[in-house]
């Protein structure tokens, strides 16, 4: 079946511009996660959506970052007024949350963001 | 303090030999899950194996096995009969708490290089 998809695969933008990154989770998966992978910081959690519950935004690095998930499926991560330190690979993952520890997160191919 | 520590930034292994990638973790929560992911140069994160804190036996998935030593808080990945395609970054990750929706915390990764 189809895995997690993300678009665009690469995004180059100028400092100060806004960007939107899209994630389409595996069909039927109720949980969706955004992570960021950068050379200096490794893999960091950003935000988590579970069904219709309020998202866990505890990992967002600043108020320039926001995300939404429409209809419990597709999610968009928005970065406003991009800075050079925002350059990273943004990874999306989804899982079928059955309420047990065995739920595995499956990752998409990522979006490589470069801020010039 | 680091929650997940991978002390081997890079490792070489001869093709067809076994290799152990180290992972130690730190948590006070009695309920947690440990995951290993593989990230080839193409960038996608591929789930390999899972170990739950209450599991009595070490997890195995094909050529992958997890050497889980709970008292030492270690969860080392063992890859048997290494193949050239095993060359990649390997990440250990932990999810704390019984709520399966919690995010993953990742270690810094180990780059494995398989020599022909």
């Amino acid at each position: 079946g189809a895995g997690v998809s993300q678009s665009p695969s690469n995004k180059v933008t100028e400092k100060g511009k806004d960007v939107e990154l899209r994630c389409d989770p595996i069909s039927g998966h109720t949980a969706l996660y955004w992570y960021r992978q950068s050379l200096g910081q490794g893999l960091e959690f950003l935000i988590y959506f579970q069904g219709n519950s309020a998202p866990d935004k505890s990992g967002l690095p600043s108020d320039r970052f926001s995300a939404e998930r429409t209809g419990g499926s597709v999610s968009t991560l928005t970065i406003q007024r991009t800075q050079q330190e925002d350059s990273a690979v943004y990874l999306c993952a989804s899982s079928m949350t059955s309420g047990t520890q065995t739920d595995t997160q499956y990752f998409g191919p990522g979006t490589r963001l470069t801020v010039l | 303090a680091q929650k997940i520590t991978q002390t081997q930034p890079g490792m070489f292994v001869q093709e067809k030999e076994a290799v152990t990638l180290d992972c130690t973790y730190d948590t006070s929560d009695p309920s947690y899950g440990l995951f290993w992911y593989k990230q080839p140069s193409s960038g996608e994160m591929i789930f390999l194996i899972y170990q739950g804190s209450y599991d009595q036996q070490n997890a195995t998935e094909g050529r992958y096995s997890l050497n889980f030593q709970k008292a030492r808080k270690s969860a080392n990945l063992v890859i048997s009969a290494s193949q050239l395609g095993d060359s990649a970054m390997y990440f250990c990750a932990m999810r704390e708490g019984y709520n399966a929706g919690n995010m993953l915390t990742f270690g810094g990764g180990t780059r494995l290089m398989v020599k022909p």
Side-chain angles (χ1 to χ4, degrees):
Chain A
V4 178
S5 60
Q6 293 186 246
S7 61
S9 55
N10 279 283
K11 176 72 176 178
V12 180
T13 190
E14 293 180 347
K15 177 181 173 182
K17 301 278 190 183
D18 298 352
V19 295
E20 286 188 351
L21 312 179
R22 176 189 167 104
C23 171
D24 201 341
I26 294 172
S27 177
H29 280 192
T30 57
L32 186 148
Y33 306 77
W34 283 98
Y35 294 86
R36 177 170 72 174
Q37 185 174 26
S38 56
L39 282 175
Q41 301 296 324
L43 272 151
E44 306 170 276
F45 164 76
L46 297 177
I47 189 169
Y48 155 60
F49 295 89
Q50 169 56 49
N52 296 321
S53 302
D56 177 354
K57 304 179 183 180
S58 59
L60 294 179
S62 77
D63 58 8
R64 295 187 296 105
F65 288 72
S66 63
E68 62 177 20
R69 188 179 185 192
T70 54
S73 181
V74 172
S75 176
T76 302
L77 177 69
T78 301
I79 309 173
Q80 295 179 309
R81 305 180 302 281
T82 52
Q83 304 293 312
Q84 288 181 331
E85 60 262 29
D86 299 335
S87 295
V89 176
Y90 290 81
L91 292 164
C92 177
S94 71
S95 70
M96 179 182 291
T97 306
S98 60
T100 70
Q101 273 289 8
T102 58
D103 290 335
T104 296
Q105 294 180 26
Y106 295 93
F107 284 79
T111 293
R112 181 174 297 278
L113 175 66
T114 303
V115 182
L116 301 177
Chain B
Q2 292 282 342
K3 289 204 169 186
I4 296 284
T5 303
Q6 295 181 253
T7 57
Q8 306 150 314
M11 287 191 70
F12 283 95
V13 64
Q14 197 69 40
E15 191 179 10
K16 299 181 185 177
E17 291 185 350
V19 63
T20 298
L21 306 183
D22 294 342
C23 173
T24 58
Y25 59 92
D26 183 26
T27 181
S28 57
D29 200 310
S31 178
Y32 53 89
L34 297 157
F35 300 79
W36 277 92
Y37 286 85
K38 172 184 177 181
Q39 188 177 42
S41 56
S42 54
E44 74 270 29
M45 295 283 283
I46 302 167
F47 166 71
L48 296 178
I49 196 166
Y50 162 82
Q51 181 82 45
S53 59
Y54 297 117
D55 293 345
Q56 296 296 311
Q57 294 187 321
N58 288 342
T60 60
E61 287 287 349
R63 294 188 298 111
Y64 304 108
S65 60
L66 206 151
N67 183 1
F68 181 45
Q69 297 188 44
K70 195 170 180 178
R72 297 180 62 184
K73 292 189 176 179
S74 75
N76 299 339
L77 177 70
V78 180
I79 305 175
S80 64
S82 297
Q83 301 172 356
L84 295 178
D86 293 335
S87 293
M89 283 290 291
Y90 288 80
F91 291 95
C92 180
M94 177 172 64
R95 181 171 61 213
E96 296 175 272
Y98 190 75
N99 181 354
N102 291 347
M103 79 286 195
L104 295 173
T105 303
F106 287 85
T110 295
R111 181 172 300 280
L112 177 67
M113 291 152 282
V114 181
K115 298 186 290 184

